[in-house]
Amino acid sequence: MPLEFLKRKNTPDASAAPTPASPSRGASITLPEEVIAQEYQLKLYYAGKSSEGVRMKTGPNAMSELPSMLHGLARSEIEVVEPLPIEFSQATPVISRPSEAMQWLNAHHVHSPVTRHALVVLESIDAIDLAFDTFVCALLDGEVDTSGYPEYSSVVGGVASHWDESTGDMIVRAVVGWGGKGVRGDTDRIGSRLLSGILTNVLANQYALGLTAIERPVPAAGRGGLVCAHCGFASAHERAFYCPKCGMRLLRG
Ligand SMILES: [Zn+2]
């Protein structure tokens, strides 16, 4: 009789369950002096680090060099996330904003759980912006759960590159991030070590010209930018001089 205990609620003569006072009988309901509240809380902690930029000699092979900068550090498959075209300019990983969330899912559902986790963390803390960044990503430290998603103390990331608006050079920086429903004391130190390891790899690349200050491009506020005559990429970045995807000069009408 597994449901036997449920029947007790309906027993009319249960002396342990007095009928509640009804307002129609004249008894007034007074507010208790102190409300007893059940507390609910979720603390999400996202963090990340981004290095100085490294100016790269641009050439036809510049973009294809990016994944090699994670060699020796990546602990999962290395994935490349290209800048998002204008139809995804509102994409945001916030599920309570369905239109923005749908754009984000349409843009990123093809990626691995590691990359999607990295994008949620690094976009939420504004460490990368896919209006102009190309992001090359892998798991760098820690474990994934049975569904393949990194644990909160796992470090993810890699390199992000964009095209310098004044010179058209490719600027590459190291970016790492971590976080979720928890925080562990040594993750920050591991993140710093990985950031320095990636930056070392970037500087060791044959096309590297040296460290440079990063001036991030300013994304479009409204109408959107130009269509690249070389690769057809429609940029949401109206002030871009160089195509965020292929790096060729954008022609203005
Ligand atoms: Zn292009």
Side-chain angles (χ1 to χ4, degrees):
M1 300 287 177
L3 295 179
E4 190 60 36
F5 72 98
L6 288 175
K7 288 182 181 167
R8 255 196 281 174
K9 275 190 174 173
N10 296 328
T11 310
D13 62 351
S15 54
T19 44
S22 129
S24 63
R25 285 203 211 149
S28 65
I29 299 173
T30 53
L31 191 69
E33 271 183 33
E34 201 175 330
V35 176
I36 297 167
Q38 295 267 7
E39 307 279 351
Y40 303 92
Q41 196 175 63
L42 167 65
K43 286 185 177 173
L44 277 178
Y45 179 87
Y46 291 154
K49 295 171 188 287
S50 174
S51 75
E52 282 177 282
V54 177
R55 194 173 293 277
M56 311 291 291
K57 205 185 304 172
T58 51
N61 297 321
M63 295 299 273
S64 59
E65 289 288 311
L66 294 174
S68 72
M69 297 169 186
L70 300 193
H71 283 173
L73 295 166
R75 294 173 62 169
S76 69
E77 196 187 331
I78 298 167
E79 264 193 300
V80 177
V81 184
E82 296 189 329
L84 294 180
I86 190 160
E87 61 263 34
F88 297 110
S89 59
Q90 302 298 314
T92 312
V94 178
I95 201 169
S96 53
R97 299 170 178 259
S99 162
E100 290 89 333
M102 282 303 288
Q103 277 194 17
W104 194 90
L105 283 172
N106 286 332
H108 299 305
H109 69 92
V110 293
H111 297 305
S112 70
V114 167
T115 298
R116 266 199 305 280
H117 173 82
L119 290 171
V120 168
V121 170
L122 294 171
E123 288 188 76
S124 299
I125 61 176
D126 207 23
I128 59 170
D129 187 339
L130 293 176
F132 46 81
D133 279 327
T134 298
F135 178 50
V136 179
C137 174
L139 180 74
L140 302 172
D141 186 79
E143 307 295 327
V144 294
D145 66 17
T146 50
S147 308
Y149 288 87
E151 307 280 0
Y152 67 84
S153 58
S154 296
V155 180
V156 292
V159 294
S161 80
H162 68 275
W163 302 90
D164 182 59
E165 290 297 274
S166 49
T167 62
D169 289 343
M170 190 168 78
I171 311 286
V172 180
R173 65 191 193 278
V175 186
V176 299
W178 62 90
K181 296 177 186 177
V183 58
R184 229 177 61 182
D186 56 348
T187 313
D188 193 278
R189 185 179 50 78
I190 295 167
S192 291
R193 178 172 56 76
L194 287 162
L195 191 79
S196 127
I198 298 165
L199 185 62
T200 303
N201 279 3
V202 177
L203 284 166
N205 187 273
Q206 56 176 327
Y207 297 104
L209 297 172
L211 289 173
T212 183
I214 292 175
E215 285 178 48
R216 291 172 78 181
V218 182
R223 296 162 288 121
L226 302 156
V227 175
C228 177
H230 306 279
C231 72
F233 182 82
S235 174
H237 181 198
E238 68 188 348
R239 287 172 48 185
F241 283 104
Y242 295 92
C243 172
K245 188 170 179 183
C246 74
M248 297 297 282
R249 177 123 204 172
L250 290 170
L251 303 169
R252 277 155 203 278

